[in-house]
Amino acid sequence: MALLQISEPGQAPDPHQRRLAIGIDLGTTHSLVAAMRHGVAECLPDAQGRTLLPSAVRYLSSAPGRQIGFDALAAQATDPLNTIVSVKRLMGRKREDVAMVSQLPYSVLDTPSMASVDTVAGVKTPVEVSAEILATLRYRAEDSFDDEVFGAVITVPAYFDDAQRQATKDAAKLAGLEVLRLINEPTAAAIAYGLDEGSEGVYAVFDLGGGTFDVSILRLSAGVFEVIATGGDSALGGDDYDRVLANAVLAQAGLGDLAQLDATDRATLLHAARACKQSLSDQASARLHAGLSAGTLNVDIDRAYFAQATAELTQRTIKVSKRALRDAGLGVDALQGVVMVGGSTRMPVVREAVAAWFGREPLTNLNPDEVVALGAARQAHVLAGNAGSEEMLLLDVTPLSLGLETMGGLVERIVPRNSTIPTARAQDFTTYKDGQTALALHVVQGERDLVQDCRSLARFELRGIPPMAAGAARIRVSFTVDADGLLQVSAKEQGTGVEAKIEVKPSYGLSDEQIATMLQEGFATAQADMAARALVEARVEADRMLLATQSALHADGDLLNDAQRADIDQAMVGLRALLEASSDAAQIDAATEDLAKRTEGFAAARMNKGIAQALAGQKLENI
Ligand code: ADP
Ligand code: MG
């Protein structure tokens, strides 16, 4: 019989036995995997030595069923309907909420819970498509280290909401990956630059990828990053530079524009425009060559022509950056540095515009394609326990406020937007009616005061509250947002301990434009909301007063003489009539106040009766 070595309790694990922890940048255009080797983070290449994996999956009608990465991309021009690119835009979204859905070259279906894609191999969800990409990267890492992956840190855009984060986690699970944590892309980039070990201060992360632009303002203090503002444009990226260049060339050749070409010509020309654009990043001029069905295009493009054709796009990135800084309440001088992320920041036009507006040279010495994956790998290394005691703590923020619906359709904000996560907040609520034994909880997200203007995330009920007088129950509602940005809400009646909780897996789908619009509306309508809130509050208070008086009259009406009773009845009739007719909060408040005054004597009489009852039969020393 073989003897197994049993480690003693408390004994440190073998220092040579490290766990393979990987960082994955699951990008809209490209994805990468990185891991620590000999203390340095590096991106892992495929068998051909390429670190970038195009985020593209082509589905086939026969075995092997699919192609992934470069093979898929190569077929895009000839098989656009089955070649799924930019699937990140669909993650956790309903079809109507997908940015630029009409420009995607394949057909997006309006399936329940999340949009999906119709292919020759059947209907595929974005979670399945992403899982193909994640699994490819996982195998790459396992081959590279000849070891099994222990866990992964996967990056997501800072603005990703619960549904999008959940969809990303689901994809990882499907790919057989243990998610150590989801972290924000800008935070990963900052870690890759080692900013966490450097001087404290505020940094901007400027990420211009293939189809999206994100800018984030991070504050580093005591080795901890906090995202203090985010901004972006989900319809702005390198693809737009390709499109604008292609259109400029077509117009110049008198061939109209991209919309007039068939799918194959369009893909061919966009491909050529992209190659030309990329060459222009390290040479002064480049040839755009494309064989179209109408003939061959052959044009020399120089940097000045390219800069002019795309100036409007570059200006938009600066405008969005300005807004993000303004949101953070900061000026450019407050920044300690600017980090460049994303393949499109290789373009000299972009670097120059950033340097000019931010008034400093941005950090570009790390490969802008790799920087996010490198940072994720460093974080994975720590979370897997390979780094020993040095612990890196990460803070991110919630993009929108989270709250609960209260009486009258008002929102009580529990976790304000831009709160650092992980976070836990609690607030006490009470019942509205005498003997109420159940409470309906409605969790909403947004900046507006009225429920109807916010997004509904989830509903659940707390049952089994012991019957008590209105306002006597104390129900603590806790919101917990974990390090991955996922929300859990629980409600507990403090007296009995009855509890209900819900893990919020929101009905998928809220676009970043919608987030932006919701934020904007929140600011623009604050005034109107305040008035609306005052009115609703006045009505709720009036209703509550009427209900309380009604039940007091029912129980102890005999304590009143006829005149007193008539006085109260009259005040109630008046208040009810006002509730029907008036939308003047102040007027309703005054009438409620009046009813309260007129019932003061009655309340005192009831209290005396209650005390008399409690005292009846008791000896003085027991009190
Ligand atoms: P994503 O984060 O959206 O996956 P990436 O960061 O990988 O995107 O960026 C992809 C974009 O970068 C593409 O539009 C690509 O054309 C562009 N890009 C890559 N290399 C260069 C280069 N040398 N010059 C200009 N653009 C480049
Ligand atoms: Mg990216």
Side-chain angles (χ1 to χ4, degrees), residues 27-30 209-211 238-239 274 277-278 281 342-344 346-347:
T28 309
T29 323
H30 296 119
D239 297 347
R274 176 191 267 216
K277 168 193 80 174
Q278 296 189 358
S281 289
S344 298
R346 286 217 179 76
M347 288 186 282

Side-chain angles (χ1 to χ4, degrees), residues 25-30 32 88 155 185 207-210 212 214 341-343 368-369 372:
D25 172 6
L26 185 61
T28 309
T29 323
H30 296 119
L32 297 99
K88 191 171 175 178
T155 59
E185 290 162 8
D207 181 351
L208 190 59
T212 52
D214 299 305
V341 182
D369 297 324
V372 168

Side-chain angles (χ1 to χ4, degrees), residues 47-307:
Q48 284 78 28
R50 303 170 295 204
T51 56
L52 287 177
L53 175 73
S55 303
V57 178
R58 179 192 182 200
Y59 287 97
L60 307 164
S61 54
S62 54
R66 66 227 181 296
Q67 295 172 311
I68 295 157
F70 286 101
D71 297 341
L73 211 55
Q76 206 204 351
T78 53
D79 191 17
L81 289 175
N82 296 303
T83 309
I84 316 309
V85 293
S86 295
V87 77
K88 191 171 175 178
R89 293 185 182 278
L90 273 53
M91 290 292 271
R93 288 287 155 94
K94 303 278 293 176
R95 188 182 190 282
E96 74 240 34
D97 297 323
V98 176
M100 311 201 308
V101 70
S102 60
Q103 286 181 38
L104 293 173
Y106 43 84
S107 69
V108 177
L109 303 176
D110 189 12
T111 29
S113 95
M114 209 190 311
S116 57
V117 185
D118 197 13
T119 77
V120 284
V123 173
K124 301 289 174 189
T125 65
V127 170
E128 289 171 273
V129 179
S130 300
E132 297 282 4
I133 297 162
L134 289 171
T136 306
L137 295 173
R138 173 185 152 207
Y139 299 141
R140 183 187 288 186
E142 293 186 338
D143 289 350
S144 178
F145 285 87
D146 195 18
D147 191 6
E148 274 191 18
V149 170
F150 167 76
V153 165
I154 302 178
T155 59
V156 291
Y159 61 78
F160 253 30
D161 66 11
D162 253 38
Q164 293 166 299
R165 285 169 199 260
Q166 189 62 53
T168 306
K169 276 190 138 178
D170 291 347
K173 201 194 257 172
L174 206 56
L177 281 171
E178 175 75 29
V179 178
L180 299 171
R181 191 173 288 186
L182 301 180
I183 69 172
N184 287 338
E185 290 162 8
T187 309
I191 290 172
Y193 269 100
L195 298 183
D196 50 319
E197 291 157 3
S199 52
E200 304 205 329
V202 180
Y203 297 86
V205 180
F206 183 103
D207 181 351
L208 190 59
T212 52
F213 173 60
D214 299 305
V215 60
S216 316
I217 313 296
L218 307 183
R219 176 181 289 130
L220 172 67
S221 62
V224 170
F225 282 108
E226 184 187 343
V227 182
I228 54 178
T230 64
D233 186 337
S234 60
L236 176 61
D239 297 347
D240 298 286
Y241 284 78
D242 304 345
R243 199 170 299 123
V244 166
L245 177 60
N247 273 326
V249 169
L250 279 177
Q252 203 177 21
L255 294 173
D257 63 26
L258 280 168
Q260 290 158 259
L261 302 183
D262 67 26
T264 305
D265 273 357
R266 197 157 51 223
T268 307
L269 180 57
L270 283 174
H271 210 75
R274 176 191 267 216
C276 176
K277 168 193 80 174
Q278 296 189 358
S279 300
L280 282 172
S281 289
D282 31 48
Q283 49 201 73
S285 82
R287 169 151 299 193
L288 190 154
H289 175 94
L292 305 180
S293 48
T296 299
L297 264 178
N298 233 337
V299 201
D300 278 324
I301 307 289
D302 65 14
R303 275 190 182 170
Y305 179 91
F306 179 70

Side-chain angles (χ1 to χ4, degrees), residues 407-423:
M407 287 304 297
L410 289 179
V411 177
E412 182 67 27
R413 218 160 280 160
I414 313 262
V415 181
R417 100 184 176 91
N418 274 341
S419 296
T420 52
I421 54 172
T423 187

